[in-house]
Amino acid sequence: MEVHQNAAPVAVVRGLGKTFADFWGRARVKAVDGIDFEIRRGEVFALLGPNGSGKSTTVKLILGLLYPTRGDISVFGKSPRAVETKKEIGYLPEESYLYPYLTARETLDFYGSLFHLSAAERKSRIDQLLEMVGLSHARDRKVGEFSKGMARRIGIAQAMINDPDFLILDEPTSGLDPIGCREVKDLILTLKKRGKTILVTSHLLSDVEDISDRVVILYGGKIRSQGKLEDLLTVSDQTRVTFTTPDETAQRKLESALQSGFPQEKIVIDHPRRTLEEFFLDVVRQAKAENVSTSGAAAGGKIADYLSTPKSKEDVLRSLLAQETPSAPAPEAAPISGAAADEEKLRALTEERSVTPPPETAASCDASDKEKLARAETKLDQLLGGK
């Protein structure tokens, strides 16, 4: 899916500045100093820079965890502190802060309950996410016993439990082995194809290069460079030609022809190289093909269905109808006798009682069902029109 150039940006930052003061209110550190950028819908946007350049501070300002000293930020057209925007955001912090005495399954169930997902929906998503991050076999182990890489995988899973439209990943591949890094990058590209917007910060520039559409490079709290990755990295005054290696005689003829055609240029002919990551993954695939056993984390499975498949109109309609379904009536209280009955009578005389409405007839139930269906259709049209 291509980046939606004409859609409203997911996040807009204008003149953003953040200064940390000491106990006496004196300016101590100017972490962010007047930066401007936009994060467009459906793109992978990378925020880069050395330690202390202002990356984490900028991320916390976008999340509404810090207040800017100056400038403006909007997320989905609203203040980053607006509660209604939080359900559309998934966040993976630089350090995975998890409850050590909860299991992997209980951890994801806890985060799912914060978004008011039903028990059935939580169970379905947890199973898919654990398989996706390669931790199905450790679902009932306490996360306090996990290695850093395994804890990172659970952190990635919790960031996606709510199926967010805007995913913020702070050092997502930190602590992961090359297999986990590759899986995370594939996941990010899959989410991008589905139209999700992803903000990534990382010190592993090769990972950023594989997945990003645009980058901003910070230094000293200021933007030193920004733009499309392709435009920034292309060396426009050089040209490379790639073809199958000819035999020795043909290669000498080719070199002679190129040199005679460009006598003032230094012609370099060499063989392309694979990246170390590609070579490493090939070695691991070969070991797996030979059924070599390992006690480390398993490779992740396929992308979770709810993350890779957009919701259909029928799915949304069923969800809305479920919200309209009234809860079952409470069971009648058991008869009260003795002193308790006397107290109940006294309370009935001294308190105002509401009159219980009569049960609905079959005809009124049918009318109510039609009204609920009409309300659900209206909600569905509003949701689809607003996306």
Side-chain angles (χ1 to χ4, degrees), residues 141-163:
R141 280 179 56 188
K142 294 179 180 179
V143 297
E145 303 172 358
F146 283 3
S147 66
K148 182 178 180 181
M150 294 173 71
R152 202 65 180 156
R153 290 169 184 257
I154 285 295
I156 292 170
Q158 67 80 24
M160 294 181 291
I161 189 70
N162 60 318
D163 191 12

Side-chain angles (χ1 to χ4, degrees), residues 325-331:
T325 303
S327 57

Side-chain angles (χ1 to χ4, degrees), residues 11-66:
V12 179
V13 173
R14 292 286 180 263
L16 183 64
K18 176 61 179 178
T19 301
F20 292 99
D22 61 14
F23 176 80
W24 307 104
R26 298 172 298 191
R28 182 168 54 90
V29 176
K30 188 177 287 186
V32 179
D33 188 10
I35 63 176
D36 299 86
F37 62 82
E38 293 181 354
I39 302 176
R40 299 166 188 164
R41 190 175 298 274
E43 74 172 349
V44 180
F45 184 90
L47 199 59
L48 308 178
N51 290 331
S53 60
K55 300 189 304 299
S56 294
T57 299
T58 301
V59 167
K60 291 175 182 177
L61 288 166
I62 292 173
L63 287 167
L65 301 177
L66 292 176

Side-chain angles (χ1 to χ4, degrees), residues 365-378:
C365 287
D366 292 340
S368 176
D369 289 341
K370 292 179 180 178
E371 291 175 2
K372 286 185 285 186
L373 181 60
R375 288 199 298 272
E377 288 282 3
T378 302

